[in-house]
Amino acid sequence: MTARPTPGLVGAVVRSAYPILIGFALAYVMQTVVAVSIGDYYSKIFIDVGIAIVLGVSLGIVNGYAGQFSLGHAGFMAVGGYTAAAIVYYGSIKLFGTKAIYGGSLGPGELLLCAGCIAGGVMAALTGWLVGLPSLRLRGDYLAIVTLGFGEIIRVLIKQTDDVVLSQKQVEAADWWTLLDNLGGGFGFIGGPRYIDARNPFWVWLFVVIVCLVAYRLKYSNRGRQLLAVRENEIAAEAMGIRTTKAKVSAFMTSAFFAGIGGGLYAHELGNSLRPADLGFQKSIDIVIIVVLGGMGSISGAVIAAIAVTILPEVFRSFSEYRMIAYALALIIVMILRPQGLLGLKELWEVDWRAIGRGLVTAPGRFARWLPGLPGRLRSALREAIDRRQEDRS
């Protein structure tokens, strides 16, 4: 077996740059070809799908790879969203003299949007470090409660800011500290330029490619294997010399960084309102559903689940009265048939599709054999529940 030759400087640069170039190419195709051909309605849905992918894949890094159950992802999204909104809105007035969209495609205004999203990601990552360092020494339900509390603290803190988003004249006369205290409070940060709409999904799909690439490279790197070891058995991983707290905090910060970017994209999408009420507990649950449904630790599973979770409510929109019931039933059925999620820890290219085909062929026969024993199993389960309740009372 011969060792793989080490690439030179040019080769290393090319290998590092080509995924980013692919991201730019895909985002450009989405904007110039797909968004134009499918119409505004479907293009808006695909933008929502892209933001859901960014949030789902980023949460999969900490919930799937590291096995830490976080329920505060919407809090990081809020930190990133408000940071990006403040930078873009107030920065546009300070730099360009207008709060409207400035410049065309990839013009100065859109570069400010990109900078705002990255700054939002950095702020969310720093917040993740502050929260993760003490709380990631906890496990399981305790960590979930702590992260849930963090998300609520962020929401309440944002509501304490001034209810007024300053006008253009007020912004020109105010200093930056005053601006940071005027984030809209409970009414939300409304009035900023909406750079992302049905005709301009470029930045959303660029960040979709970047977050998927980072998650993929992390999963198959030494650091990713350390996270998987922590996930499977934290005590054994620590015995093997892995610094478990450091590994978990780094995963937490990476996840928070991309959640912040997702929040920045969400804040600048036409049709969305950046309000604390929309970035609370329910939003965190929606993102957790994507991760659990796709498979804890599967990038492609999270992508598929994000597509399904975003599109299914639109499919059921014609049955408005029963839409959420049908949506919930679909989730329940998937969880009964695939409790480990659609793909588990695997990716699409790692699945044994022939075994799945054989399983589908034999499924009717297995179901026919399982059905006659259902009444007996229900009676046994009921009897065990009654016995357990009597033991608890005694």
Side-chain angles (χ1 to χ4, degrees), residues 59-76:
L59 183 60
I61 293 174
V62 66
N63 276 24
Y65 296 179
Q68 309 302 307
F69 198 70
S70 171
L71 274 178
H73 213 54
F76 300 119

Side-chain angles (χ1 to χ4, degrees), residues 134-360:
S135 62
L136 283 180
R137 297 180 187 277
L138 305 173
R139 299 176 186 173
D141 300 342
Y142 303 104
L143 177 62
I145 293 170
V146 168
T147 52
L148 173 62
F150 155 73
E152 290 302 300
I153 289 172
I154 292 293
R155 188 177 64 81
V156 172
L157 286 178
I158 292 173
K159 289 181 70 175
Q160 301 308 311
T161 61
D162 202 313
D163 290 342
V164 179
V165 177
L166 299 181
S167 64
Q168 185 163 337
K169 289 184 178 178
Q170 292 172 320
V171 172
E172 290 171 350
D175 56 40
W176 280 98
W177 180 251
T178 305
L179 299 179
L180 292 178
D181 189 40
N182 287 267
L183 299 178
F187 293 109
F189 200 113
I190 301 172
R194 302 293 184 176
Y195 282 101
I196 299 171
D197 58 25
R199 297 302 177 96
N200 188 18
F202 179 85
W203 293 106
V204 172
W205 286 98
L206 177 64
F207 283 116
V208 166
V209 174
I210 290 175
V211 69
C212 289
L213 284 172
V214 170
Y216 174 81
R217 290 195 167 185
L218 176 62
K219 183 176 182 178
Y220 294 101
S221 67
N222 289 335
R223 190 174 294 276
R225 293 187 180 91
Q226 290 178 3
L227 290 176
L228 292 176
V230 171
R231 160 186 159 147
E232 296 302 324
N233 192 321
E234 192 169 334
I235 296 175
E238 199 153 359
M240 294 300 293
I242 298 174
R243 298 171 63 184
T244 55
T245 301
K246 180 182 177 183
K248 289 189 292 184
V249 169
S250 65
F252 212 64
M253 290 180 65
T254 307
S255 173
F257 174 77
F258 285 108
I261 288 181
L265 298 172
Y266 178 86
H268 293 91
E269 182 191 353
L270 188 66
N272 288 341
S273 55
L274 192 63
R275 297 183 305 172
D278 295 333
L279 301 175
F281 174 67
Q282 184 58 49
K283 189 67 178 178
S284 291
I285 292 297
D286 291 342
I287 305 170
V288 169
I289 287 175
I290 292 174
V291 177
V292 174
L293 195 60
M296 303 283 279
S298 173
I299 303 165
S300 48
V303 171
I304 295 172
I307 295 171
V309 167
T310 309
I311 291 180
L312 273 180
E314 298 299 325
V315 173
F316 292 132
R317 187 173 290 279
S318 351
F319 314 97
S320 57
E321 295 179 358
Y322 307 102
R323 181 172 64 146
M324 295 313 296
I325 297 176
Y327 173 64
L329 281 175
L331 293 177
I332 291 171
I333 290 171
V334 171
M335 284 295 100
I336 290 175
L337 297 177
R338 295 283 298 176
Q340 71 275 36
L342 292 174
L343 297 179
L345 191 58
K346 294 183 178 180
E347 303 297 342
L348 271 177
W349 50 90
E350 298 171 344
V351 174
D352 185 356
W353 293 104
R354 287 185 294 183
I356 291 179
R358 289 193 296 270
L360 290 175

